[in-house]
Amino acid sequence: MNIHEYQAKAILRDFGAPVAAGFPVLKAEEAAAAAKQLPGPVYVVKAQIHAGGRGKGKFKEEAAGPQGGVRIAKSIEEAEAFARQMLGHTLVTIQTGETGKQVNRLYIEDGAAIDKEFYLSMLIDRATSRIAFVVSTEGGMDIEEVAHSTPEKIVTFSVDPATGLMPHHGRHVADALKLAGDLAKQAGALVEKLYAAFVAKDMEMLEINPLITTKDGKLRCLDAKVSFENNALYRHPELMELRDLSEEDEKEIEASKYDLAYISLDGNIGCMVNGAGLAMATMDIIKLYGAFPANFLDVGGGATAEKVTAAFKIITVDPNVKGILVNIFGGIMRCDTIAEGVIQAVKEVGLKVPLVVRLEGTNVDLGKKILSESGLNVIPADDLDDAAQKIVKAIS
Ligand code: ADP
Ligand code: MG
C-alpha cells in the first residue's frame, strides 16, 4: 500500500526525523490559511499524488499554468494562486503514464534553503532477506539514471537483523554522502530514526529523494515516499486509515474485496486464469501472438462460482477489453465451477466481446457441456496455443 508524501512525513516526524513544517489542503481556499501558519517567506505547494517526478511533471489543462507539480511561492497570495491552478487538474509525470493523475490534495510546506541534495532509500532486499540502504550524493534526480550512467555514485549495504542497526551503519551513510562533523552526527541520528520507523511500521520501501543539507547546516527529509508490506497491514489499523482509494485502480479495489489476485494492465485481452504461473504463461503467449493482456488475474485454487462471477465482471466492465480469454486448468478448481461462474456473470452484465474458453482437468467435460448448453457465444479452444491464437484473431 502506498501513501501520500504528507502522510509519510507525518510518520517520520513521529519518529523524530527532521521534516519541514507543512499542512495538507483539499481546497484552494485553505491554502492561504495553511501558508500563514508557516514561517515563510518561501512556501512550497506540492501536488499529492501517488507518483514521483512531480517537480518535472506537466499539467494537462492550460488553467493549471505552465509549471509542474512542485512550485515555489514567494508570498501567501502566490501560494493560494498556485493551489487554485493545481487542484482538480491532471498532472502527468514520468511515473503516472500518459493519462496522468488528478490532483485532489496539496501539501503546503515551508520552503527550505537547499545547500545540497542527496538520495537515501531503504527497502527489503529479497536476495539477502535484510533491510538494505541505498544512498547517493546524486539526489533530487532520477536515481535509475544515476544507477545506469554512474553506478559508482551509489552505495548500498544491508543490516543484519540479528544485530539490528549499529552506529557504524550511520557512519557508513555519512561517509557515502561525504558529510563530516555535525552533519555526519545528524546523519547517524537520522539513520537510526528511519530504521526504527521502517521496522515498526512494516515498510516495504522508504525513499527520501532529496535528503538535503540546508544553508544553515541542517539535514532534512525534503521528499518522502513510503509503501507498506500488504501482508503486514492487519497489524496496523492506523495505517489502513491512510489509504486513499481515489489513487487506486477501481478494478483492483473491487478484486481485493473478493481476495482475487488482479493487476490492471494496458492491453485489450482480458484474462481469467487460475494459478499465478499459468496466468503469467497466458500473458506471455498472448504477447507472442501479437496482442497485449488487459490484466493479470489469478482466481486461485479453491474459487467459488461467486468469486469467478466477480472476477469475470471486473474484466468485462473494463472498456479497454476487446476480447476475453478464460484459461483454466482444473486441479482443486473444478471446470464446472468456472463454467457456472462465467454464465452467471454474463447473465448479470452481458457479453459484448468475443470469449475464448480453454478448460482442462477436473470435471472438464461437465464444464464444456454447461457452456455449450448455455447458449453463450463461446469459442472453445483445445490448448493454450490454440486459445491464444483464437482470441488474438477474434479481436483483430
Ligand atoms: P518529486 O520527487 O515528485 O519531483 P520532490 O518533493 O522531490 O517531488 O520535489 C522536487 C524538487 O523540488 C526537490 O528536488 C527540491 O529541489 C524542490 N523542493 C521540494 N520541496 C521543497 C521545499 N520544501 N523547499 C524547497 N525546495 C523544495
Ligand atoms: Mg522527490
Side-chain angles (χ1 to χ4, degrees):
M1 184 184 82
N2 296 316
I3 56 172
H4 290 293
E5 173 198 3
Y6 77 93
Q7 297 167 322
K9 284 183 171 169
I11 292 175
L12 297 184
R13 191 179 289 125
D14 284 348
F15 280 82
V19 293
F23 300 94
V25 300
L26 295 168
K27 298 195 194 97
E29 301 83 71
E30 298 163 2
K36 274 185 197 138
Q37 295 178 65
L38 295 171
V42 175
Y43 312 90
V44 184
V45 183
K46 308 182 80 173
Q48 298 297 292
I49 54 171
H50 285 186
R54 295 163 302 166
K56 294 208 178 88
K58 288 203 168 57
F59 279 91
K60 275 197 169 167
E61 299 90 355
E62 225 169 274
Q67 304 173 69
V70 175
R71 301 186 187 178
I72 313 278
K74 301 246 163 54
S75 67
I76 289 176
E77 294 70 40
E78 198 178 16
E80 187 177 339
F82 285 158
R84 234 169 257 295
Q85 289 173 1
M86 288 157 82
L87 275 173
H89 296 288
T90 307
L91 182 62
V92 180
T93 81
I94 41 163
Q95 291 185 10
T96 61
E98 268 172 44
T99 46
K101 283 206 161 170
Q102 193 180 37
V103 177
N104 300 317
R105 304 181 197 206
L106 298 173
Y107 190 46
I108 315 285
E109 194 180 54
D110 186 28
I114 303 174
D115 186 26
K116 284 200 192 99
E117 299 196 332
F118 306 101
Y119 178 92
L120 186 154
S121 69
M122 297 170 65
L123 47 103
I124 303 282
D125 177 10
R126 291 182 194 282
T128 56
S129 307
R130 292 175 172 194
I131 294 172
F133 278 82
V134 178
V135 283
S136 174
T137 50
E138 307 305 297
M141 49 184 113
D142 195 353
I143 196 68
E144 284 83 3
E145 178 53 32
V146 179
H148 181 72
S149 50
T150 47
E152 70 282 0
K153 289 191 172 159
I154 295 185
V155 174
T156 63
F157 64 90
S158 62
V159 178
D160 187 337
T163 61
L165 194 82
M166 307 284 277
H168 70 83
H169 293 121
R171 290 197 292 273
H172 201 26
V173 168
D175 285 349
L177 299 182
K178 301 189 168 62
L179 297 175
D182 188 55
L183 279 170
K185 262 193 210 151
Q186 290 183 44
L190 174 67
V191 164
E192 258 175 46
K193 286 161 185 163
L194 297 180
Y195 187 82
F198 194 95
V199 174
K201 297 293 182 185
D202 286 308
M203 292 180 188
E204 189 174 62
M205 195 216 41
L206 163 61
E207 186 182 58
I208 314 287
N209 187 25
L211 169 71
I212 60 154
T213 50
T214 60
K215 297 242 193 286
D216 57 355
K218 300 266 188 318
L219 206 57
R220 198 188 263 185
C221 305
L222 213 61
D223 189 8
K225 191 171 172 192
V226 167
S227 65
F228 301 99
E229 168 58 55
N230 284 349
N231 292 319
L233 278 176
Y234 74 97
R235 299 205 284 215
H236 301 286
E238 82 285 3
L239 295 179
M240 286 306 285
E241 281 168 25
L242 303 180
R243 191 168 172 196
D244 180 357
L245 292 177
S246 72
E247 288 285 334
E248 296 179 25
D249 186 293
E250 270 172 44
K251 300 185 290 300
E252 290 180 13
I253 295 170
E254 189 62 19
S256 71
K257 288 186 197 155
Y258 291 90
D259 210 14
L260 293 160
Y262 174 93
I263 293 160
S264 184
L265 300 167
D266 295 336
N268 53 16
I269 296 184
C271 305
M272 181 156 91
V273 190
N274 67 327
L278 189 59
M280 296 296 280
T282 305
M283 289 159 52
D284 280 348
I285 202 158
I286 286 172
K287 286 184 101 167
L288 180 70
Y289 286 109
F292 291 89
N295 64 282
F296 168 93
L297 170 62
D298 170 11
V299 291
T304 57
E306 189 205 7
K307 204 165 157 177
V308 172
T309 306
F312 200 80
K313 273 195 211 163
I314 291 167
I315 295 174
T316 42
V317 296
D318 181 348
N320 294 330
V321 168
K322 301 287 178 266
I324 298 172
L325 173 53
V326 174
N327 182 24
I328 300 293
F329 185 81
I332 302 168
M333 167 64 83
R334 291 165 19 207
C335 293
D336 54 317
T337 305
I338 288 288
E340 274 161 11
V342 168
I343 291 165
Q344 185 59 36
V346 172
K347 261 191 208 148
E348 288 176 34
V349 294
L351 180 66
K352 296 177 195 75
V353 297
L355 168 65
V356 172
V357 178
R358 179 254 176 161
L359 297 175
E360 198 55 77
T362 310
N363 291 3
V364 59
D365 294 333
L366 182 57
K368 284 183 176 166
K369 184 161 167 270
I370 291 171
L371 280 176
S372 68
E373 287 172 0
S374 69
L376 280 188
N377 186 14
V378 174
I379 307 167
D382 297 327
D383 55 40
L384 185 47
D385 207 59
D386 184 40
Q389 289 186 54
K390 279 181 172 155
I391 191 63
V392 173
K393 186 156 170 261
I395 66 155
S396 46

